Amino acid sequence: IVDALGVPQLSTGDMLRAAVAAGTEVGKKAKSVMESGGLVGDDLVVSIICDRIKEADCAGGFILDGFPRTVAQAKMLDAMLAEAGTKVKFVLALEVPDAVLTERICGRWVHKASGRSYHVRFAKPKSLKQGMAPSVKKCSTTKLASLSCSVQTTPSRPSRSA
């Protein structure tokens, strides 16, 4: 989609991490919340989006990946865009079966030392040879119990015609 439209894909998580790394004012505020294990407030997230869409690569549009997730976020986004003299022009909803989402989420691995992410099926580490399993020798039984994956899903919404 990014290539076809020639616009950037903006992930709020990536933007938050970049703002923290850059030491921006918003990044400093987000860092304290993130380090305490809290969720960054909608006002900070919208502020980061507002800053990011002012960059030249967003002049022709942009794709917000995973945002907004709530009605309150959508209203804040609409208000911010209205102040900038623009509005949301298209919304694309990807409908994915729960089983596919569960496989994608539950198959994720993270190498804690480097922060690199992998997937049991789609992006195995090169060092993990065919038939091998990842090492868990340093995990306590409590940590091992937390490695199991449970995903709560919501009932499917009825399809709406355009």
Side-chain angles (χ1 to χ4, degrees):
I1 298 171
V2 167
D3 292 338
L5 297 177
V7 297
Q9 170 262 339
L10 307 180
S11 160
T12 54
D14 291 346
M15 289 187 290
L16 283 167
R17 287 184 287 277
V20 169
T24 66
E25 193 59 38
V26 174
K28 289 175 188 174
K29 290 177 185 175
K31 182 178 181 178
S32 65
V33 174
M34 292 162 68
E35 285 179 345
S36 70
L39 294 174
V40 177
D42 292 345
D43 56 333
L44 282 178
V45 174
V46 171
S47 179
I48 285 179
I49 293 169
C50 184
D51 289 346
R52 176 63 180 88
I53 65 173
K54 292 175 185 172
E55 294 180 26
D57 65 335
C58 292
F62 51 89
I63 298 170
L64 288 173
D65 181 355
F67 188 89
R69 293 179 187 220
T70 67
V71 172
Q73 289 175 343
K75 288 179 179 180
M76 290 180 77
L77 177 65
D78 282 345
M80 181 270 296
L81 292 173
E83 284 181 30
T86 190
K87 63 181 180 177
V88 173
K89 294 177 180 72
F90 300 100
V91 173
L92 176 65
L94 302 177
E95 305 240 346
V96 182
D98 290 344
V100 172
L101 295 174
T102 301
E103 178 185 29
R104 297 295 296 207
I105 293 168
C106 294
R108 292 179 181 167
W109 296 337
V110 175
H111 183 255
K112 286 188 177 189
S114 67
R116 286 187 299 267
S117 61
Y118 301 98
H119 193 277
V120 67
R121 181 171 169 201
F122 305 110
K124 293 180 183 180
K126 292 177 185 174
S127 61
L128 189 66
K129 304 299 178 205
Q130 184 70 23
M132 293 176 61
S135 171
V136 291
K137 60 186 168 193
K138 293 184 180 180
C139 292
S140 68
T141 54
T142 304
K143 287 182 182 174
L144 284 174
S146 70
L147 292 176
S148 65
C149 187
S150 173
V151 177
Q152 182 178 2
T153 58
T154 56
S156 297
R157 290 173 288 183
S159 297
R160 293 185 289 195
S161 299

